[in-house]
Amino acid sequence: MKISNFIDSINKNNEKVLSVFLTAGYPNKKNFAEMAVNVLNAGADMLEIGIPFSDPLADGPVIQNSSNIALQNGTTIKDCIFFAKQISAKVNKPLIFMSYINPILNYGIEKFITDSEAAGVKGLIIPDLVIEEYNEILGGIKTNMEIILLCTPTTPDERIKKIDTASSGFVYCVSLNGTTGVRNEFDHSILKPIKNAYNLITKNKMLVGFGISKEEDVKYFSPCCDGVIVGSAVVKLLDDEKEGELKAVELVKKLKEACRG
């Protein structure tokens, strides 16, 4: 099933989609796939698997740290693809790779997409791929994988429309200007550009991410999106070696409950 159709099937039940981000190979490689399956079974509708990178420009300190540790653990793109294969064999929910462009180019972009598809990955997010370079880098590749583009609160209207046209799966709407990370509260002024983007995006579904960490945040953004993306709040809990996974699973359960209204 296409990611967009999957999101639509959840929205038709009067629910918002909960997409959870995990850094591949963090906190360790040995049980990452098992932990990811537990997060999906706890209520995450989709899983973003972050491919560790040494210079994750869009990510805040929590995910930067997790990426560094995953790299120290020796996590490679081949490992990420293997994780996806393990997860997709156990859970029938969309898996999405999140990677910066350099690691993909180093791996070989056609090989990366072919191998990822074979492992059950349905979508790809590349935060540093701008729309002007989309066709040059991805235009000639035949794939069923959906390429998800991003917009921000400062993206002009006409550019949002172009992003909507080029994107597939959904459009990732960044909730604020800055990097990922837990926020204690949101400036109410940010709702206006998010509502505007939601009205302009007509081809795709729209999910909101960056800073969402608790049930109140989910309810705050729910009226102007089709789902939410949560990363740092879950990854941060995994710092706790003994109870991190248990805490992460409990948070996912609460967030999914909030998605139900």
Side-chain angles (χ1 to χ4, degrees):
M1 183 186 291
K2 292 279 190 182
I3 295 171
S4 53
N5 293 338
F6 179 82
I7 295 172
D8 191 49
S9 68
I10 291 172
N11 291 161
K12 283 179 178 176
N13 290 328
N14 295 317
E15 293 181 24
K16 300 298 179 177
V17 165
L18 173 62
S19 182
V20 172
F21 172 96
L22 295 175
T23 303
Y26 179 82
N28 62 71
K29 286 171 63 175
K30 185 178 179 180
N31 70 343
F32 175 78
E34 180 185 347
M35 178 188 68
V37 168
N38 290 338
V39 166
L40 284 163
N41 287 337
D45 298 302
M46 305 193 299
L47 183 70
E48 284 181 32
I49 302 172
I51 294 175
F53 182 48
S54 57
D55 192 21
L57 297 174
D59 293 308
V62 170
I63 293 176
Q64 283 184 17
N65 179 63
S66 69
S67 196
N68 286 335
I69 292 173
L71 289 172
Q72 290 169 17
N73 291 340
T75 306
T76 65
I77 287 185
K78 283 187 178 181
D79 291 324
C80 298
I81 291 168
F82 181 62
F83 295 149
K85 187 175 182 180
Q86 289 178 298
I87 297 163
S88 63
K90 293 184 177 181
V91 183
N92 188 26
K93 292 181 177 180
L95 303 183
I96 299 165
F97 270 152
M98 202 289 282
S99 175
Y100 293 86
I101 193 65
N102 278 350
I104 297 175
L105 291 176
N106 287 337
Y107 188 89
I109 193 156
E110 291 197 42
K111 179 174 169 54
F112 174 80
I113 288 178
T114 299
D115 292 353
S116 299
E117 262 195 286
V121 178
K122 301 296 184 184
L124 175 62
I125 299 170
I126 308 175
D128 56 346
L129 176 66
V130 295
I131 193 168
E132 288 80 6
E133 297 174 351
Y134 178 93
N135 284 332
E136 180 185 348
I137 294 174
L138 296 169
I141 298 172
K142 292 183 179 180
T143 176
N144 290 319
M145 186 179 291
E146 297 181 274
I147 311 299
I148 297 148
L149 302 182
L150 297 85
C151 67
T152 75
T154 57
T155 304
D157 289 1
E158 287 306 310
R159 191 173 180 85
I160 290 174
K161 292 176 184 177
K162 288 179 181 178
I163 288 167
D164 183 30
T165 299
S167 190
S168 53
F170 62 90
V171 171
Y172 188 141
C173 181
V174 174
S175 68
L176 42 81
N177 295 315
T179 58
T180 59
V182 175
R183 300 295 194 279
N184 290 326
E185 62 181 1
F186 290 91
D187 184 337
H188 291 297
S189 65
I190 66 168
L191 272 188
K192 185 177 179 180
I194 291 173
K195 287 179 180 177
N196 180 60
Y198 195 37
N199 288 330
L200 291 171
I201 292 167
T202 56
K203 174 195 165 194
N204 286 286
K205 296 287 187 173
M206 188 184 93
L207 271 59
V208 175
F210 279 45
I212 297 169
S213 61
K214 50 190 182 295
E215 300 108 295
E216 292 83 357
D217 299 338
V218 173
K219 292 177 181 178
Y220 183 69
F221 287 108
S222 283
C224 47
C225 67
D226 300 300
V228 296
I229 301 164
V230 181
S232 295
V234 176
V235 173
K236 186 175 176 61
L237 293 174
L238 298 174
D239 289 345
D240 184 339
E241 290 184 17
K242 291 185 178 179
E243 297 185 356
E245 183 178 336
L246 181 62
K247 290 178 180 177
V249 162
E250 286 304 311
L251 176 60
V252 168
K253 287 179 181 177
K254 290 177 182 178
L255 293 171
K256 183 54 194 176
E257 193 57 40
C259 286
R260 296 189 176 104

